[in-house]
Coordinates of all heavy atoms in Angstrom, one line a residue:
Chain C
Q16 N 87.9 76.5 140.9 CA 87.1 77.6 141.5 C 87.2 78.8 140.6 O 86.1 79.5 140.4 CB 87.7 77.9 142.9 CG 87.2 76.9 143.9 CD 87.5 77.3 145.3 OE1 88.2 78.3 145.5 NE2 87.1 76.5 146.3
Y65 N 98.8 83.1 135.3 CA 99.0 84.3 136.1 C 100.5 84.7 136.0 O 101.4 83.9 136.2 CB 98.6 84.0 137.6 CG 98.8 85.2 138.5 CD1 97.7 86.1 138.6 CD2 100.0 85.5 139.1 CE1 97.9 87.3 139.4 CE2 100.2 86.6 139.9 CZ 99.1 87.5 140.0 OH 99.3 88.6 140.8
G66 N 100.7 86.0 135.7 CA 102.0 86.5 135.7 C 102.7 86.3 134.4 O 103.9 86.7 134.2
R68 N 103.3 86.7 130.2 CA 102.9 87.6 129.1 C 102.3 86.7 128.0 O 102.6 85.5 127.9 CB 104.2 88.2 128.5 CG 104.7 89.4 129.3 CD 105.9 90.1 128.5 NE 106.9 89.1 128.1 CZ 107.9 89.3 127.3 NH1 108.1 90.5 126.8 NH2 108.7 88.4 127.0
V69 N 101.4 87.3 127.2 CA 100.8 86.6 126.1 C 101.8 86.0 125.2 O 101.7 84.8 124.8 CB 99.9 87.6 125.3 CG1 99.4 87.0 124.0 CG2 98.7 87.9 126.2
Q94 N 98.5 92.6 118.6 CA 97.1 92.6 118.1 C 96.8 91.2 117.5 O 97.4 90.8 116.5 CB 96.9 93.6 117.0 CG 95.5 93.8 116.5 CD 95.4 94.8 115.4 OE1 96.2 94.9 114.5 NE2 94.3 95.5 115.3
P95 N 95.9 90.4 118.1 CA 95.5 89.1 117.5 C 94.6 89.4 116.3 O 94.1 90.5 116.1 CB 94.6 88.5 118.6 CG 94.1 89.6 119.5 CD 95.1 90.7 119.3
E100 N 85.5 83.8 121.6 CA 84.9 83.8 122.9 C 84.2 82.4 123.0 O 83.1 82.2 122.4 CB 84.0 84.9 123.2 CG 84.6 86.3 122.9 CD 83.6 87.4 123.1 OE1 83.1 87.7 124.2 OE2 83.3 88.1 122.0
H116 N 84.2 79.5 130.5 CA 84.2 80.6 129.6 C 85.6 81.1 129.3 O 86.3 81.4 130.3 CB 83.4 81.7 130.3 CG 83.4 83.1 129.6 ND1 83.0 84.2 130.2 CD2 83.8 83.4 128.3 CE1 83.1 85.3 129.3 NE2 83.6 84.8 128.2
Chain D
Q16 N 90.2 85.7 145.4 CA 90.9 84.4 145.2 C 91.2 84.2 143.7 O 92.3 83.8 143.4 CB 90.0 83.3 145.7 CG 90.1 83.2 147.2 CD 89.4 81.9 147.7 OE1 88.9 81.1 146.8 NE2 89.4 81.6 149.0
R18 N 91.6 86.5 141.5 CA 92.6 87.5 141.1 C 94.0 87.0 141.4 O 95.0 87.5 140.7 CB 92.4 88.8 141.8 CG 91.5 89.7 141.1 CD 91.5 91.1 141.7 NE 90.8 92.0 140.8 CZ 89.9 92.9 141.2 NH1 89.6 93.0 142.4 NH2 89.3 93.7 140.3
Y65 N 82.1 86.7 134.1 CA 81.9 85.3 133.6 C 80.5 85.2 132.9 O 79.5 85.7 133.3 CB 81.8 84.4 134.8 CG 81.6 82.9 134.5 CD1 82.5 82.1 134.2 CD2 80.3 82.4 134.4 CE1 82.4 80.8 133.8 CE2 80.1 81.1 134.0 CZ 81.1 80.3 133.7 OH 80.9 79.0 133.3
G66 N 80.6 84.6 131.7 CA 79.4 84.5 130.9 C 79.0 85.6 130.0 O 78.0 85.6 129.3
V69 N 82.4 90.0 125.2 CA 83.2 91.2 125.2 C 82.3 92.4 124.7 O 82.4 93.5 125.3 CB 84.4 91.0 124.2 CG1 85.1 92.3 124.0 CG2 85.3 90.0 124.8
Q94 N 88.1 92.3 116.7 CA 89.6 92.5 116.8 C 89.9 93.8 117.5 O 89.6 94.9 117.0 CB 90.2 92.5 115.4 CG 91.8 92.6 115.4 CD 92.3 92.8 114.0 OE1 91.7 93.4 113.1 NE2 93.4 92.1 113.7
P95 N 90.5 93.8 118.7 CA 90.9 95.0 119.4 C 92.1 95.7 118.6 O 92.8 94.9 117.9 CB 91.3 94.6 120.8 CG 91.7 93.2 120.7 CD 90.9 92.6 119.5
E100 N 98.7 94.4 128.5 CA 98.8 93.5 129.6 C 99.3 94.2 130.8 O 100.4 94.6 130.9 CB 99.8 92.4 129.2 CG 99.5 91.7 127.9 CD 100.5 90.7 127.4 OE1 100.7 89.7 128.1 OE2 101.2 91.0 126.4
H116 N 96.9 90.9 137.6 CA 97.3 90.7 136.2 C 96.1 90.7 135.3 O 95.2 89.9 135.5 CB 98.0 89.3 136.1 CG 98.3 88.9 134.7 ND1 98.7 87.6 134.4 CD2 98.4 89.6 133.5 CE1 99.0 87.6 133.0 NE2 98.7 88.7 132.5

Side-chain angles (χ1 to χ4, degrees):
Chain C
Q16 281 189 357
Y65 180 89
R68 286 185 308 172
V69 167
Q94 183 185 39
E100 305 175 68
H116 172 194
Chain D
Q16 281 190 359
R18 265 190 174 138
Y65 180 88
V69 167
Q94 183 186 39
E100 304 175 68
H116 172 193

